[in-house]
């Protein structure tokens, strides 16, 4: 069996820690076995490796999440990179062509697709492995996994079985999306399951679908023609049109940590980051990513989340409203993780008179890693080294850097930096348009940069 983890989406339900660049699955708020903070994606991938599924797993994601995935999972996990966001059918189609044309997976092999962020016991992933024999036994088009409901939830979709089903699996009659409580209670009486977004199919099932649409089966070619794929979910494009669908019940623990109230229920500590929570603040959680201390006094059943993007103070029961409240609130991400480290926006100013913008960042680079050799067209940068030693490449010349050094990078200047030890620097960008897309990369790794620079001086 081969697994495809779907990692996508932008973050609003866990604002201000999640944003367009950092979705909920990347937030390091859960503890691992060594009491170190880890993210949802790190937790899931660790569970898959424990049961021997790590090597047969690929992750489908967008360009904006590649560096964060590489930072959190390492560079050995295969990534299927979507050129743009086009919903789950294009993502799964691209993953299928990757397995078919690049990995050489047999068309009759079973592929299971699941979200990258379920909060579950390891037995959940062992149960997914039972989908392959279920497909063989029933000859179904699709095999889903559904969770036995523990209460009549209005937040989840339901897989509704045909009448008179056996206890081992169900034949799917239809799906019901987020019903009201009364209907949810009725569906549970009819043995309906929560739809946890897990399904399996033989690879050829999706390959044939692409052939019928006249789309290429080669991964690179489909990437180039990605905009031709219909912008539609896999559920609407495939699942609802399938004639024979079965589902496997899962009786263990499963939870969607998509809101602050559900996420904090699974956190092992009440406080992350600088701050104090008074003893009479019962069932209150503080997550603080800033260096400023935050004090919470006499406030119970609340979540206080602080990041460079903003501050949230909310009653836990009311916290799911944040997605609706934040509609129309548009600002650039103020914090991002990259494979080489991270950056945090300290200040942004726009001057209307001369149409100039000034953006100040604090950048951290991990020891031994580097920022690519690149240039910008619409801005210059001023770097002030705060901590650590490294080397700086500019237009073919490499020199050393130490704390206190200042570097001025003019527009159109090819430049890069490597950290010989952990480095911190302040970057001030000045230009007419300060966007992440204003970049032309030439070389990615430092060895390649050194090989192509003409001279080195101290």
């Amino acid at each position: 069996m081969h697994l495809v983890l779907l990692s996508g989406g932008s973050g609003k339900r866990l604002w201000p820690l999640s944003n367009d660049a950092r979705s909920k699955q990347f937030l390091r708020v859960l503890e691992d076995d060594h009491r170190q903070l880890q993210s949802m994606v790190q937790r899931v991938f660790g569970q898959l490796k424990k049961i021997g599924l790590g090597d047969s797993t690929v992750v489908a994601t967008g360009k904006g999440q590649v560096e964060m995935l590489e930072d959190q999972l390492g560079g050995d996990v295969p990534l299927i990179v979507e050129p743009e966001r086009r919903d789950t059918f294009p993502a799964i189609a691209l993953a299928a062509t990757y397995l078919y044309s690049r990995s050489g997976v047999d068309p009759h092999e079973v592929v299971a697709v699941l979200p990258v962020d379920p909060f579950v016991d390891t037995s959940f992933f062992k149960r997914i492995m039972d989908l392959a024999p279920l497909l063989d036994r029933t000859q179904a088009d699709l095999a889903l996994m559904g969770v036995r409901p523990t209460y009549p939830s209005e937040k989840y979709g339901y897989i509704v079985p045909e009448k008179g089903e056996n206890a081992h699996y169900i034949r799917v009659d239809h799906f019901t999306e987020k019903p009201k409580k009364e209907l949810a209670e009725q569906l549970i009486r009819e043995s309906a399951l929560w739809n946890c977004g897990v399904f399996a199919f033989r690879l050829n099932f999706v390959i044939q679908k692409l052939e019928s649409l006249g789309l290429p089966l080669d991964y690179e070619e489909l990437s180039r023609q990605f905009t031709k794929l219909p912008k539609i979910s896999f559920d609407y494009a495939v699942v609802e049109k399938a004639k024979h669908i079965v589902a496997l019940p899962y009786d263990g623990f499963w939870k969607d940590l998509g809101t602050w109230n559900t996420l904090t229920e699974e956190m092992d500590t009440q406080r992350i980051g600088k701050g104090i929570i008074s003893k009479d603040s019962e069932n209150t959680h503080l997550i603080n990513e800033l260096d400023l201390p935050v004090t919470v006094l006499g406030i119970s059943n609340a979540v206080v989340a602080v990041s460079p993007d903003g501050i949230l103070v909310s009653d836990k029961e009311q916290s799911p409203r944040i997605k609706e409240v934040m509609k129309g609130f548009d600002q650039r991400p103020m914090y991002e993780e990259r494979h080489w480290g991270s950056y945090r926006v300290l200040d942004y100013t726009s001057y209307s008179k001369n149409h100039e913008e000034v953006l100040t960042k604090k950048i951290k680079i991990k020891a031994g890693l580097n920022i690519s050799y690149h240039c910008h067209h619409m801005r210059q940068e001023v770097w002030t080294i705060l901590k650590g030693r490294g080397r700086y490449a500019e237009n073919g010349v490499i020199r050393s850097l130490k704390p206190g050094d200042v570097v001025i990078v003019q527009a159109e200047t090819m430049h890069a930096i490597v950290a010989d030890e952990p480095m911190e620097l302040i970057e001030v960008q000045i230009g007419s348009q300060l966007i992440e897309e204003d970049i032309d990369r030439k070389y990615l790794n430092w060895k390649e940069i050194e090989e192509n620079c003409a001279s080195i001086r101290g």
Side-chain angles (χ1 to χ4, degrees), residues 31 34 46 49 78 87 102 123 142 147 187 199 296 309 329 388:
E31 286 191 358
H34 306 289
K49 287 199 291 187
D87 220 319
R102 181 175 283 191
S123 59
L142 288 163
V147 176
L187 293 173
F199 50 89
V296 182
D309 283 59
F329 181 79

Side-chain angles (χ1 to χ4, degrees), residues 71-89:
D71 177 51
Q72 296 199 0
L73 299 183
D76 297 330
V77 180
L79 301 181
I80 289 94
V81 182
E82 305 155 49
E84 61 178 71
R85 288 179 184 169
R86 294 192 69 81
D87 220 319
T88 53
F89 172 69

